[in-house]
């Protein structure tokens, strides 16, 4: 298990998340997508629409992860300041990307034309390339291993689709879930022991209350599918030896 | 508008959020609750179940906000390390809280008794007080202005209920929403101008695609309700003068 682990960080930009007005969906969406690319989402920050806060977050997280993603703040209005913040963090200027301009001209041809506000969506940090947006007009932006994406989840999803298979990663993390109607506090020692005995796995314990009863699912994660399977089997054996009924796949 | 603004930060602790397995609900829940207390959620971090990462996040965010909240990692299993991290960040030891122990003894009296694993949930940073948990046994933990809460959203909700009205804050942020079937890119100049002219407000623009059409809601936020109302009225007037139909309350 000495293979390289690739990591990514996400900076979610937007007062609407911090005010509670909007429920974020991009953390879970990006995390799931990254898993398939063999990249681990290592940390997330949610920051306000404040340039200094964005610059600080992307600089710190971009500096210690293989990939950096941002969501939000790339629209046409005054509160959309992500591009300026990214450019400042990278120490480059902001330019109009000719291809982005052409895309917007075409998109708005039948929608009232390309106004000055809409042209803001063609602004990119100098040296950037574009991420295709198959849903609405304005593209996402790629600056090396930094990816600047939309805040609206289904537009973000389209941009991730466009990136699928293009980012270098390691082996995807696979997981095996088992679970049952057992209080996690009753079998905590078994979880701890099995995790400690098996190299290269982590075991998460996720309790729930359902139908008036307590239960828990145990998720064994590893980059080696055989290791995950063997560990889940051993955990099942130990739980059954302790008189617990658990089910493969969880409950 | 020179009154003091009270801020809070949230550290969400848990591999299950970063793996995409669990959709976080605590950011929006805490944000909404804080608004009513007159406290602004200023920043959020999501960190893995790694003690160093938790210590770094709570130290930095706790140091620059009036209040710090954490969610997750206070259960009975090996991956629940929040209490140890908080104690380390505060430079204190970890002790068994006698009242927490009594609560757990009573709770587990009819549920198999207080095992060693369950007793872990009575561990607190030295000097802490308890936050009542009306839902399940284990209480939350308060260390000064730091609040250590559960990860399961309905348990967190109960702990917030127990804290309602006990935290000093400023005037709550109030908001007025207007919206219509208008592309935000068409009226970006009006939004920018109205925000600039009105002291003490911020205007957020939230585009959407619905029923095959584009639209947007504009949210005017201020701590003074009269200011927010007047600004929303002025914004409505200017949008209507520009030939746009908008609706109070948004669409």
């Amino acid at each position: 298990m000495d293979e390289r682990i690739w990591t990514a960080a996400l900076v979610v930009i937007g007062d609407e998340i911090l005010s509670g007005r909007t429920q974020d969906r991009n953390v879970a969406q990006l995390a799931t997508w990254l898993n398939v690319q063999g990249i681990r989402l290592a940390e997330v920050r949610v920051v306000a629409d404040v340039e200094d806060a964005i610059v600080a977050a992307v600089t710190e997280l971009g500096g210690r992860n293989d990939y950096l993603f941002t969501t939000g703040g790339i629209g046409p209005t005054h509160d959309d300041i992500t591009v300026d913040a990214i450019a400042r963090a990278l120490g480059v200027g902001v330019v109009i990307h000719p291809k982005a301009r052409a895309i917007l001209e075409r998109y708005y041809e039948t929608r009232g034309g390309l106004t000055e506000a809409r042209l803001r969506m063609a602004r990119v940090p100098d040296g950037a390339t574009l991420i295709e947006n198959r849903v609405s007009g304005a593209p996402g932006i790629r600056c090396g291993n930094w990816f600047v994406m939309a805040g609206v989840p289904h537009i973000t999803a389209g941009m991730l689709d466009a990136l699928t298979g293009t980012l270098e990663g390691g082996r995807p993390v696979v997981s095996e879930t088992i679970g049952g109607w057992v209080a996690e506090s009753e079998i905590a020692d078994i979880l701890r022991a099995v995790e400690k005995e098996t190299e290269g796995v982590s075991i998460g314990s996720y309790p729930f209350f359902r139908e008036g009863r307590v239960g828990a699912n145990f998720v064994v994660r590893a980059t080696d599918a055989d290791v995950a399977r063997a560990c889940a089997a051993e955990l099942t054996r130990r739980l059954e030896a302790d008189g617990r009924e658990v089910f493969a796949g969880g409950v």
Side-chain angles (χ1 to χ4, degrees), chain A residues 229-240:
Chain A
R229 254 193 308 273
C231 181
E234 173 63 14
L235 182 56
T236 302
R237 198 188 62 72
R238 300 270 275 274
L239 289 169
E240 287 174 350

Side-chain angles (χ1 to χ4, degrees), chain A residues 159-171:
Chain A
M159 292 179 179
L160 290 176
D161 264 359
L163 289 173
T164 295
T166 67
L167 272 56
E168 185 172 2
R171 280 206 282 182

Side-chain angles (χ1 to χ4, degrees), chain A residues 51-135:
Chain A
E51 193 173 303
D52 287 349
I54 303 170
V55 171
V58 297
T59 301
E60 192 174 338
L61 271 54
R64 67 183 181 211
N65 289 280
D66 297 305
Y67 300 102
L68 175 77
F69 291 79
T70 70
T71 57
I74 61 167
T77 57
H78 63 284
D79 52 348
D80 293 307
I81 57 174
T82 301
V83 167
D84 302 272
I86 295 281
R88 208 178 105 199
L90 293 172
V92 300
V94 172
V95 298
I96 298 282
H97 194 292
K99 193 177 158 203
R101 185 191 183 116
I103 290 168
L104 292 169
E105 272 169 354
R106 201 162 52 241
Y107 183 80
Y108 284 113
E109 200 170 6
T110 57
R111 294 177 174 87
L114 185 56
T115 60
E116 199 179 324
R118 286 166 169 172
L119 187 58
R120 271 178 69 81
M121 294 187 284
R123 297 168 75 246
V124 302
D126 202 357
T129 57
L130 303 182
I131 304 168
E132 193 186 350
N133 172 356
R134 298 166 192 175
V135 179

Side-chain angles (χ1 to χ4, degrees), chain A residues 12 27 36 40 66 88 102 107 110 127 145 152 180 213 217 241 246:
Chain A
V12 175
V27 174
V36 180
R40 190 172 301 177
D66 297 305
R88 208 178 105 199
Y107 183 80
T110 57
N145 280 338
V152 179
R213 291 191 293 167
N217 286 310
V246 291

Side-chain angles (χ1 to χ4, degrees), chain A residues 18-36:
Chain A
L18 291 172
S19 72
R21 183 181 188 279
T22 302
Q23 164 71 54
D24 169 77
R25 308 255 167 227
N26 286 323
V27 174
Q29 166 167 269
L30 179 66
T32 307
W33 181 85
L34 284 171
N35 284 341
V36 180

